[in-house]
Amino acid sequence: MSGVQMLTVTEAEGEARLDRWLKKKFPQLTQGAVEKMCRTGQLRVDGARAKAATRVAPGMEVRVPPLPTSGPVAPVALRESGPRIPEADAEMIQRAVLWKDEHIIALNKPAGLPSQGGSGQSDHRHVDGLTPALMFGYKDRPKLVHRLDKDTSGVLLLARTDRVARALSEAFRDRTTRKIYWAVVAGVPNPRMGTIRYGLVKAPGRGGHGEGEKMICIHPSKVNDTEGAKRATTDYAVLDALGTRASWVALVPITGRTHQLRAHMAELGHPIAGDGKYGGSSQENMGDGWGAQIGGDISRKLHLHARSISFDHPITKKRITLTAPLPEHMKRTWKTMGWFENDVPEDPFADEQ
């Protein structure tokens, strides 16, 4: 057995989930062992109890309890390749590649596919677990630098090297990237363009691994007085509407909080179509209601899509803008509504910037 170790996350390691960061350093550890150390409070981050999914970042100190040193240890490269990925899943994630060069891969993430593993997920059936299928001859798996909710589709970036991962992570923190989402919401927001500034705080009593997680909006004037609340800002613009029943909106998250767009639109009284968590799955909006289900032939799936992303390429320094086609259930909704993707500006906020 080793003794207690106090390890500091380095700049080279960047941001990562605690369990993945730890298993990279100690390949003999299993996921179960990591979660047990978290449950018993033996594994701590900056002195505080942590969960397997806790995010660690450069400068944080991790307390690692005594670890077994005997027994076979698989090489990191073999362990990171993980279980064999079914051919159908490998083909699915490869078809999702929207753009790539030798530094970055951009996916059009399918709705329903989680970005990372969690409670109830299989070993690989999430973007992070499928990255061995995206190596394309490189020796390392590409790394997630941001996430999308499981039921949100659209542009998702992966870095092919640690250096690029660090640079892109910094760009997201510094807000030099620009993401535009498209959504269908119940009703028509008034005014048709504006900014939402409600803070967000996690609802109490939710699952430990994010299952059931829900955010509560806090009035901007009360954020500083609310424990755990964080400021959040979203720009929105109505692009088209079907009477008063539903509208097509563009959303730009100025901050990047959990469920920010979904919680903000619901707080306005215009929840995103198909959002059972924030809009009420049993409520149908027939033109004068608040519910998130539009009804009729409109899919009950979440209508939220990361339509485009703009960022400065870490290596070439050129500004890159990538656009992701709508998923099938949203394409059908656009057809039903009589909306056309090319009828609206790529960035409806351009004149406001």
Side-chain angles (χ1 to χ4, degrees), residues 6-144:
M6 303 299 293
L7 305 176
T8 300
V9 182
T10 66
E11 286 289 341
E13 290 168 325
E15 290 189 26
R17 278 174 54 122
L18 176 59
D19 51 0
R20 292 184 173 87
W21 178 85
L22 199 65
K23 287 193 285 184
K24 200 166 185 178
K25 285 188 169 296
F26 304 101
Q28 72 269 30
L29 286 176
T30 63
Q31 184 69 20
V34 174
E35 292 182 359
K36 182 178 180 181
M37 288 189 291
C38 290
R39 283 196 307 271
T40 56
Q42 298 177 77
L43 193 59
R44 291 177 176 260
V45 176
D46 284 345
R49 293 176 74 105
K51 298 170 184 171
T54 295
R55 302 289 294 183
V56 296
M60 289 184 174
E61 189 174 62
V62 181
R63 178 197 184 274
V64 181
L67 302 176
T69 54
S70 59
V73 177
V76 173
L78 290 180
R79 285 190 60 85
E80 287 200 338
S81 65
R84 185 177 180 276
I85 297 172
E87 189 173 337
D89 285 344
E91 291 177 357
M92 176 272 294
I93 200 67
Q94 289 170 359
R95 284 196 306 271
V97 173
L98 187 66
W99 176 89
K100 66 181 172 72
D101 65 7
E102 59 266 41
H103 309 288
I104 298 167
I105 294 175
L107 301 179
N108 185 7
K109 186 188 82 65
L113 181 69
S115 295
Q116 291 180 303
S119 177
Q121 298 298 331
S122 66
D123 285 340
H124 69 271
R125 200 64 170 59
H126 46 82
V127 174
D128 195 39
L130 293 171
T131 52
L134 298 173
M135 291 166 66
F136 300 119
Y138 276 51
K139 62 184 181 72
D140 295 322
R141 301 189 306 165
K143 302 157 186 68
L144 285 169

Side-chain angles (χ1 to χ4, degrees), residues 108-112 150-155 182-184 299 301-307 323-335 341:
N108 185 7
K109 186 188 82 65
K150 174 183 175 182
D151 294 321
T152 302
S153 58
V155 186
W182 278 1
V184 179
S299 170
K301 291 182 178 180
L302 184 69
H303 283 62
L304 180 61
H305 177 69
R307 172 65 172 179
T323 301
L326 289 170
E328 286 303 317
H329 73 281
M330 291 180 70
K331 282 183 183 176
R332 291 194 298 272
T333 296
W334 259 241
K335 185 175 181 181
E341 296 179 45

Side-chain angles (χ1 to χ4, degrees), residues 77-343:
L78 290 180
R79 285 190 60 85
E80 287 200 338
S81 65
R84 185 177 180 276
I85 297 172
E87 189 173 337
D89 285 344
E91 291 177 357
M92 176 272 294
I93 200 67
Q94 289 170 359
R95 284 196 306 271
V97 173
L98 187 66
W99 176 89
K100 66 181 172 72
D101 65 7
E102 59 266 41
H103 309 288
I104 298 167
I105 294 175
L107 301 179
N108 185 7
K109 186 188 82 65
L113 181 69
S115 295
Q116 291 180 303
S119 177
Q121 298 298 331
S122 66
D123 285 340
H124 69 271
R125 200 64 170 59
H126 46 82
V127 174
D128 195 39
L130 293 171
T131 52
L134 298 173
M135 291 166 66
F136 300 119
Y138 276 51
K139 62 184 181 72
D140 295 322
R141 301 189 306 165
K143 302 157 186 68
L144 285 169
V145 292
H146 65 124
R147 290 173 291 172
L148 293 175
D149 287 349
K150 174 183 175 182
D151 294 321
T152 302
S153 58
V155 186
L156 185 67
L157 299 184
L158 296 93
R160 305 185 79 170
T161 64
D162 288 338
R163 175 190 176 191
V164 170
R166 289 194 300 274
L168 287 175
S169 294
E170 267 183 38
F172 279 102
R173 282 197 301 272
D174 295 341
R175 301 177 190 171
T176 59
T177 58
R178 182 168 179 78
K179 291 183 284 185
I180 298 177
Y181 289 73
W182 278 1
V184 179
V185 304
V188 183
N190 183 27
R192 293 173 74 99
M193 178 176 282
T195 300
I196 309 164
R197 292 188 172 88
Y198 280 94
L200 294 169
V201 65
K202 189 179 294 187
R206 296 289 164 174
H209 293 278
E211 65 274 19
E213 184 176 56
K214 188 171 183 178
M215 308 304 288
I216 298 172
C217 284
I218 305 294
H219 192 276
S221 66
K222 297 180 179 178
V223 171
N224 291 341
D225 301 323
T226 305
E227 185 179 356
K230 295 181 179 179
R231 296 197 177 275
T233 306
T234 300
D235 289 336
Y236 74 87
V238 176
L239 302 179
D240 207 340
L242 184 66
T244 60
R245 188 173 179 184
S247 51
W248 166 13
V249 297
L251 301 166
V252 173
I254 306 303
T255 51
R257 310 300 183 197
T258 300
H259 296 176
Q260 175 177 317
L261 303 181
R262 297 164 64 186
H264 270 176
M265 294 312 296
E267 187 67 19
L268 285 192
H270 300 285
I272 294 173
D275 193 348
K277 184 185 289 286
Y278 290 93
S281 59
S282 63
Q283 299 183 40
E284 288 201 2
N285 168 28
M286 301 309 292
D288 56 359
W290 183 85
Q293 301 303 338
I294 304 301
D297 294 331
I298 304 303
S299 170
R300 297 176 72 89
K301 291 182 178 180
L302 184 69
H303 283 62
L304 180 61
H305 177 69
R307 172 65 172 179
S308 68
I309 189 168
S310 297
F311 61 95
D312 294 324
H313 196 291
I315 306 302
T316 68
K317 308 304 179 185
K318 292 181 180 178
R319 189 71 173 175
I320 304 290
T321 298
L322 303 172
T323 301
L326 289 170
E328 286 303 317
H329 73 281
M330 291 180 70
K331 282 183 183 176
R332 291 194 298 272
T333 296
W334 259 241
K335 185 175 181 181
T336 300
M337 299 288 195
W339 296 336
F340 298 93
E341 296 179 45
N342 296 329
D343 284 354

